[in-house]
Amino acid sequence: MPLIESEAGLIERLRDLFHTSFENGVEVGIGDDGAVIAANNNKLVATVDMAVEEIHFKREWSTPFQIGAKLTTANLADVFAMGATPKYLLVAAAITEVNNSQTVTDLANGIRSVADKFKVSVIGGDLSKSEKMSLSITALGELSGKAITRDGAKVGDLVYLSALPGLSAAGLAILTRGLNRPKYVVEAHLNPKLVAPNNLMKVANSMCDISDGLVSDAGNIAKASGVNIDLSKELLQKSDDYKDLAELASELGEDVFDWILTGGEDHFFLATVSADKASDDLGLLVGKVEAGSGVVNLDGKAITKAGYQHF
Amino acid sequence: MPLIESEAGLIERLRDLFHTSFENGVEVGIGDDGAVIAANNNKLVATVDMAVEEIHFKREWSTPFQIGAKLTTANLADVFAMGATPKYLLVAAAITEVNNSQTVTDLANGIRSVADKFKVSVIGGDLSKSEKMSLSITALGELSGKAITRDGAKVGDLVYLSALPGLSAAGLAILTRGLNRPKYVVEAHLNPKLVAPNNLMKVANSMCDISDGLVSDAGNIAKASGVNIDLSKELLQKSDDYKDLAELASELGEDVFDWILTGGEDHFFLATVSADKASDDLGLLVGKVEAGSGVVNLDGKAITKAGYQHF
């Protein structure tokens, strides 16, 4: 599709904005009909995520930098969740101020703030005018071993979380009340940090990210694997982050376990791991896999509430 | 990003809609955090295209089927233009009627109408609500030889077009006047047909698709290769399609060469080919490559008019 007025100028600007010195086997980058990559091996993971103004973000709350960073985080999390290493991004952005250099630059810098951290190259893009901003990012990752899918959980596996979820929901609760602090809580919602689940990737029988909410995503693993996942309130409370989160919830009159179990938009990872590979290096041990038919239990009682929904 | 109300149900529906029996090395398809593909070799071409309501299409003119088909066509054309064979698509769609099964089905069927023709698999997707419809598609293709980039045109090359452009612009001119026939002309704009440039791919020194308009895209090759491209009015008029197009232009009081040179949105291919490989099987011979510095000439006179612009 044709781009904006000076397509050549824009492509050059995007090429500059996304120029890095990472090798990554990019033989042809931005500027031709398509990019050419020579991956290290022939197995790739591919995933696409979209964020739309008023549905996934509000311009009053989020800067273009944060919008770009957050979607990149969501996208790379999906690649890691498959046990792969993200390498390439293709970005399609629709923005109101298409001729506003600053918005394009801020979006690009937000995307790069996350991509650079993981040495990921932006190899393609498209830009269009639109009444509402929307952003769609495709991530490609290299898979050196077997993909870690949702259907690999085994009865007897331990359930680990890379970190305690809920802080993003806390940030959203604060913003919804018209407040903007504590800053680290609001930031957890507007620009969540991504940490690669390096240790979990080495040993997980099944894995997913929990951006749709812990119960919802644990349910996906339980269903795909034909098992039950039993979470323990006591184990979740053992997290170093629990106390702060519980205090925030209490101050705002909310249920901290609503945030933890169904909050969503925390880009952490849930994995099931054989019991003989148990280790504190894997994150928080929060439960175990039991024989069953796709149910998620908390302390033995089924949780049916769906994850956080945008509408 | 979380999807709509019943994410599980939706993913299952998309998985059904995009289910094919093509092999293509898809190890994990729609339904996990990401798709896993095992390509036949390690070189891939990747490209992304976006279409936004009111900018690239109007809902009064285009059905969801046509919108899906047209963007897929644009996308696959970019892969072919690099000399690669398209294999995989990832689709992000934002639509108003997100719970309207029919719109999602029609969009998916439109995408498949083109993808199936080229045995391309849809391996990932995201769907969101939005006030205006927008669609973004990433295509991945396999490259068995060297990529055909824009910088390979050599002085003395012949310039070929896979077909005469202009019919899409004619269709747009008709729709803009509130008319809707001749049908084949309107269809050329709303649901352009894609023919793989199989013969050109085998011999081209440089190639691009001409969706931004012949002069604009020929200019990209001229600049990237550091040559001039000399087009010939007489040669363009030799096309079998010229007479009909000229008659349409005359009926509508438009300049047929405006359509041919700057119309845009025809997903045909421009390639430069060594003179010793000249053949009628390559399409229309329309000019030659001369020494120069990035200029496109028509009968020896520089054409500076930019290609078709959406805004």
Side-chain angles (χ1 to χ4, degrees):
Chain A
M1 295 273 122
L3 294 175
I4 58 172
E5 284 152 71
S6 165
E7 193 184 355
L10 179 77
I11 287 175
E12 232 162 83
R13 191 143 64 86
L14 289 176
R15 200 192 319 213
D16 288 348
L17 284 171
F18 287 125
H19 177 78
T20 63
S21 56
F22 309 144
E23 290 289 339
N24 276 358
V26 180
E27 299 194 350
V28 177
I30 291 171
D32 213 300
D33 293 292
V36 178
I37 52 175
N40 280 329
N41 59 55
N42 70 346
K43 277 208 193 176
L44 286 175
V45 163
T47 180
V48 62
D49 271 300
M50 183 175 30
V52 176
E53 187 174 345
E54 300 305 332
I55 306 295
H56 299 94
F57 59 84
K58 290 182 191 295
R59 294 294 297 270
E60 314 91 274
W61 292 352
S62 296
T63 63
F65 182 99
Q66 289 171 327
I67 294 162
K70 185 170 179 171
L71 189 65
T72 307
T73 292
N75 213 223
L76 298 190
D78 282 331
V79 175
F80 283 124
M82 296 302 289
T85 306
K87 288 282 173 185
Y88 314 104
L89 294 181
L90 295 102
V91 181
I95 61 178
T96 323
E97 331 86 305
V98 74
N99 292 315
N100 178 342
S101 190
Q102 201 52 50
T103 304
V104 176
T105 305
D106 288 353
L107 255 180
N109 284 337
I111 291 166
R112 284 205 50 174
S113 71
V114 180
D116 285 4
K117 191 176 156 193
F118 297 100
K119 293 196 157 59
V120 168
S121 305
V122 178
I123 59 171
D126 198 359
L127 187 62
S128 170
K129 195 175 160 69
S130 171
E131 278 175 44
K132 299 275 177 188
M133 185 186 279
S134 76
L135 192 62
S136 148
I137 307 186
T138 298
L140 304 175
E142 284 186 7
L143 193 61
S144 52
K146 209 177 153 292
I148 308 173
T149 48
R150 296 176 181 179
D151 58 3
K154 290 177 181 59
V155 173
D157 276 4
L158 301 176
V159 177
Y160 281 92
L161 283 175
S162 64
L164 185 75
L167 205 61
S168 178
L172 180 61
I174 288 169
L175 286 164
T176 305
R177 285 163 175 77
L179 308 170
N180 61 8
R181 50 182 54 231
K183 202 162 171 344
Y184 81 98
V185 185
V186 171
E187 275 285 305
H189 182 72
L190 297 181
N191 192 6
K193 292 288 163 281
L194 179 64
V195 178
N198 292 323
N199 292 332
L200 284 174
M201 280 165 75
K202 286 176 203 152
V203 295
N205 288 331
S206 69
M207 184 158 66
C208 65
D209 90 325
I210 52 165
S211 57
D212 291 341
L214 174 54
V215 172
S216 172
D217 285 311
N220 288 335
I221 286 193
K223 278 183 214 91
S225 301
V227 298
N228 284 358
I229 290 193
D230 279 18
L231 302 173
S232 153
K233 216 165 175 170
E234 195 191 326
L235 289 175
L236 285 163
Q237 285 168 329
K238 276 190 184 169
S239 159
D240 291 342
D241 300 322
Y242 177 77
K243 202 169 149 267
D244 275 3
L245 197 66
E247 273 177 22
L248 275 167
S250 148
E251 276 166 32
L252 293 169
E254 301 232 5
D255 178 347
V256 67
F257 273 93
D258 247 14
W259 288 350
I260 293 173
L261 296 170
T262 69
E265 297 208 70
D266 301 288
H267 296 288
F268 303 147
F269 301 89
L270 172 79
T272 76
V273 175
S274 300
D276 60 345
K277 286 175 180 146
S279 157
D280 288 346
D281 295 342
L282 296 177
L284 307 174
L285 174 65
V286 296
K288 54 186 190 301
V289 176
E290 306 273 12
S293 54
V295 177
V296 178
N297 294 312
L298 182 67
D299 295 336
K301 264 177 67 182
I303 328 178
T304 50
K305 190 171 167 193
Y308 174 65
Q309 300 295 349
H310 280 286
F311 53 95
Chain B
M1 296 274 120
L3 294 175
I4 57 172
E5 284 152 72
S6 166
E7 194 185 355
L10 179 76
I11 288 175
E12 232 162 84
R13 190 144 63 87
L14 289 176
R15 196 188 325 208
D16 288 347
L17 284 171
F18 288 124
H19 176 78
T20 63
S21 56
F22 309 144
E23 289 289 338
N24 275 358
V26 180
E27 299 194 349
V28 177
I30 292 170
D32 213 301
D33 293 291
V36 178
I37 52 176
N40 280 330
N41 60 53
N42 70 346
K43 277 208 194 178
L44 285 175
V45 163
T47 180
V48 62
D49 272 300
M50 182 174 33
V52 176
E53 186 173 345
E54 301 304 332
I55 307 295
H56 299 93
F57 60 84
K58 291 183 189 294
R59 293 296 296 272
E60 313 92 273
W61 292 351
S62 297
T63 63
F65 182 99
Q66 289 171 327
I67 294 162
K70 185 170 179 173
L71 189 65
T72 306
T73 291
N75 213 223
L76 298 191
D78 282 332
V79 175
F80 282 123
M82 297 301 291
T85 305
K87 287 283 174 183
Y88 313 105
L89 295 180
L90 295 102
V91 181
I95 60 177
T96 322
E97 331 86 304
V98 75
N99 292 315
N100 178 342
S101 190
Q102 201 51 49
T103 303
V104 176
T105 304
D106 288 352
L107 255 179
N109 284 336
I111 291 165
R112 284 205 50 175
S113 71
V114 180
D116 284 4
K117 191 177 156 194
F118 297 99
K119 292 199 160 55
V120 168
S121 305
V122 178
I123 58 171
D126 199 358
L127 187 61
S128 172
K129 196 175 159 69
S130 171
E131 278 174 44
K132 300 275 178 189
M133 185 187 279
S134 75
L135 192 62
S136 147
I137 307 187
T138 298
L140 303 174
E142 283 186 8
L143 193 61
S144 52
K146 209 177 153 294
I148 307 173
T149 49
R150 296 176 181 179
D151 58 3
K154 290 176 180 58
V155 173
D157 277 3
L158 301 176
V159 178
Y160 281 92
L161 283 176
S162 64
L164 185 74
L167 206 60
S168 178
L172 181 61
I174 289 169
L175 287 164
T176 306
R177 284 161 173 78
L179 308 171
N180 63 7
R181 52 181 54 228
K183 203 165 170 344
Y184 81 97
V185 185
V186 171
E187 275 284 305
H189 181 72
L190 297 181
N191 192 5
K193 291 288 164 280
L194 179 64
V195 178
N198 291 322
N199 292 332
L200 285 174
M201 281 165 73
K202 285 177 202 150
V203 294
N205 288 331
S206 68
M207 184 158 65
C208 65
D209 89 326
I210 52 165
S211 58
D212 291 341
L214 174 54
V215 172
S216 172
D217 285 311
N220 288 335
I221 286 194
K223 279 184 214 91
S225 300
V227 298
N228 283 359
I229 290 192
D230 279 18
L231 302 173
S232 152
K233 216 163 173 170
E234 195 191 327
L235 290 176
L236 285 163
Q237 285 169 329
K238 278 191 182 168
S239 159
D240 291 342
D241 300 322
Y242 176 77
K243 200 168 152 271
D244 275 3
L245 197 64
E247 273 177 22
L248 275 167
S250 146
E251 276 166 33
L252 293 169
E254 301 231 6
D255 178 347
V256 66
F257 273 95
D258 247 14
W259 288 351
I260 292 172
L261 296 170
T262 69
E265 298 208 70
D266 300 289
H267 296 289
F268 302 148
F269 301 89
L270 171 79
T272 76
V273 175
S274 301
D276 60 344
K277 287 177 179 145
S279 158
D280 288 347
D281 294 342
L282 296 177
L284 308 174
L285 173 66
V286 296
K288 55 185 188 302
V289 176
E290 306 273 12
S293 55
V295 176
V296 178
N297 293 312
L298 183 67
D299 295 336
K301 264 178 66 181
I303 330 177
T304 50
K305 191 173 166 192
Y308 175 63
Q309 300 295 349
H310 280 286
F311 55 95

